[in-house]
Amino acid sequence: MTSAVDDDLWSAVGDPTRRRMLDLLLADGDGTATSLSERLPVTRQAIAKHLGVLDRVGLVRSTPAGRERRYRVDEAQLARAVAQLSSVGAAWDGRLRRIKRIAEAVQQTKDQRGIQR
């Protein structure tokens, strides 16, 4: 996760309302700002702004539908985001294992010194 696109992506999904919108779009297949605003405690205008953010980072794609736009989750971009999150999680798991080994070695050294005295 080193590029600005990745930072924008994670900034976009960092918002709980946008995560809930993604959940709804995934569950329903697609939706409009109006249909999403009926299910979330924010205005249609706020939903439209959130959809704009998700669209800019590629997590949703829109198509015209009369006077509105229908939004659908871009599954390839979502898969990319999930892969990045898994990669970050794996890296942190490795770091935590190393910290644990160091802490255990320090504790073992302390225990051995206590026995030798």
Side-chain angles (χ1 to χ4, degrees), residues 9-80:
L9 175 71
W10 290 110
S11 177
V13 296
D15 182 276
T17 299
R18 289 193 282 266
R19 287 193 307 270
R20 181 70 181 125
M21 290 169 57
L22 288 169
D23 287 342
L24 292 170
L25 291 171
L26 284 167
D28 297 345
D30 67 5
T32 64
T34 301
S35 68
L36 290 169
S37 68
E38 292 168 355
R39 299 174 68 190
L40 295 167
V42 291
T43 65
R44 184 197 174 287
Q45 290 78 14
I47 294 291
K49 287 182 181 182
H50 284 298
L51 287 168
V53 170
L54 293 172
D55 189 38
R56 278 191 300 282
V57 299
L59 283 170
V60 297
R61 297 289 176 226
S62 67
T63 55
R67 294 176 31 170
E68 289 204 86
R69 299 194 69 72
R70 294 202 76 72
Y71 291 86
R72 177 181 228 46
V73 173
D74 182 316
E75 294 188 20
Q77 182 72 338
L78 182 61
R80 180 177 161 263

Side-chain angles (χ1 to χ4, degrees), residues 83-95:
Q84 287 179 9
L85 184 58
S86 295
S87 175
V88 168
W92 274 104
D93 286 345
R95 289 180 186 118

Side-chain angles (χ1 to χ4, degrees), residues 91-107:
W92 274 104
D93 286 345
R95 289 180 186 118
L96 292 172
R97 281 191 300 275
R98 286 191 294 280
I99 291 168
K100 181 180 179 197
R101 283 194 304 269
I102 291 167
E104 289 170 344
V106 167
Q107 185 61 47

